[in-house]
Amino acid sequence: MWGWEKINERAPIWTRSPSDITDDEYDAFYTSLKKVEGKPMSHIHFKVEGDATFTSLIYIPDTPPLGMFEMRVRDDPLKLYVKRVFISDKFVTEVIPKWLNFIVGIIDSDELPLNVGREMLQQHKTLEVIKKKVIRKVIAHFQEMAKDEPEKYDAFYNLYHNNVKLGVIEDVHNKVRLSKLIKFASYNHPDQLIFLDQYVKEMKEGQKEIYFVGGEGKESLIKSSMIEGIVKRGYDVLLLTDPIDEYVIQVLQKFDSYKLVDSSKESVRLTEDEEA
């Protein structure tokens, strides 16, 4: 007598319920994707139904990948499956914007055709829906991390702050949500980074604008004559020390209902001189 023996008894990890998966299993699958030892910083496992039905398991690496801002086609740890059949690992630019190029994982669609090619991917409406849903899920994960696990978010932000800031600049649809995730040092908080929300909460009564100053080094900015008058009035000033920071501010222009104002502008200094 002979018969068939099923070797792989377990369903693919991303098709299983998150409640049935241990941390060790998530970590082991991450290692198989990255092909290196180590654990992820965190993971996002979700299923979407409606406009597009798909399952996704996405990891945030604990080390930024080399060349994550390069948009060339490459074998990438973000893999596309259709009905649990592997399709491609060269589609990252069709799904993930440049600012999110560090994520690792699986996207498994129930609706894309099995013979989908690269050109068809670029034109397929389902892929555009998948892209929007994945980006929003990842941003929501960052928001939850910032709220519930601030120390973990600080570790994440230390590695990927330029990615989040690039998202503010390039991702028009999510600019407002991402603006609540960026952090800066300030005159009142020189030794830590604060969210713009915190700046607003601590604003002096009657203050109508958010002030910032850009340049090299916090120490020199704190001592700068460009912010002296504003500080004397009791207003805090954001210290923009990364080259990308001023581009972020130019794109935002305001946060909530408060205009972002460059403290180094002559108009601001003149107002201080007149009041003095």
Side-chain angles (χ1 to χ4, degrees), residues 17-31:
S17 170
S19 60
D20 295 334
I21 305 172
T22 66
D23 289 339
D24 287 342
E25 287 178 301
Y26 276 124
D27 292 347
F29 186 64
Y30 170 77
T31 300

Side-chain angles (χ1 to χ4, degrees), residues 126-151:
T126 298
L127 195 70
E128 187 61 30
V129 176
I130 290 174
K131 179 177 181 178
K132 291 179 181 178
K133 299 285 188 182
V134 168
I135 294 172
R136 285 186 171 272
K137 284 286 187 180
V138 173
I139 293 175
H141 180 71
F142 297 158
Q143 291 172 325
E144 291 171 6
M145 196 190 303
K147 179 182 177 182
D148 301 330
E149 300 177 280
E151 290 185 2

Side-chain angles (χ1 to χ4, degrees), residues 66-206:
L66 294 174
M68 65 179 169
F69 291 120
E70 298 177 14
M71 294 305 286
R72 60 185 173 86
V73 178
R74 64 184 188 272
D75 290 341
D76 200 275
L78 186 65
K79 303 180 186 299
L80 174 66
Y81 283 69
V82 174
K83 298 176 181 177
R84 290 156 294 286
V85 176
F86 174 71
I87 300 297
S88 175
D89 57 5
K90 296 182 175 66
F91 80 119
V92 65
T93 55
E94 278 74 40
V95 174
I96 298 304
K98 184 164 64 173
W99 72 270
L100 266 182
N101 258 5
F102 57 89
I103 64 175
V104 175
I106 298 289
I107 295 174
D108 189 349
S109 170
D110 287 349
E111 298 176 1
L112 289 169
L114 283 170
N115 62 345
V116 65
R118 186 174 179 83
E119 290 186 5
M120 187 184 296
L121 269 176
Q122 294 172 334
Q123 302 171 3
H124 209 288
K125 292 181 179 179
T126 298
L127 195 70
E128 187 61 30
V129 176
I130 290 174
K131 179 177 181 178
K132 291 179 181 178
K133 299 285 188 182
V134 168
I135 294 172
R136 285 186 171 272
K137 284 286 187 180
V138 173
I139 293 175
H141 180 71
F142 297 158
Q143 291 172 325
E144 291 171 6
M145 196 190 303
K147 179 182 177 182
D148 301 330
E149 300 177 280
E151 290 185 2
K152 179 182 282 191
Y153 184 79
D154 286 345
F156 160 79
Y157 196 76
N158 183 53
L159 295 175
Y160 299 110
H161 57 276
N162 281 335
N163 297 75
V164 181
K165 291 173 182 178
L166 183 63
V168 173
I169 295 170
E170 295 188 345
D171 195 336
V172 177
H173 301 295
N174 294 294
K175 179 178 70 173
V176 174
R177 300 175 77 201
L178 289 169
S179 71
K180 296 182 179 296
L181 292 170
I182 56 177
K183 306 178 81 173
F184 302 99
S186 74
Y187 183 88
N188 291 345
H189 301 279
D191 298 323
Q192 67 179 103
L193 301 178
I194 62 170
F195 292 109
L196 293 177
D197 273 332
Q198 182 176 343
Y199 180 100
V200 170
K201 288 177 182 177
E202 296 177 358
M203 283 170 60
K204 185 179 178 181
E205 186 176 353

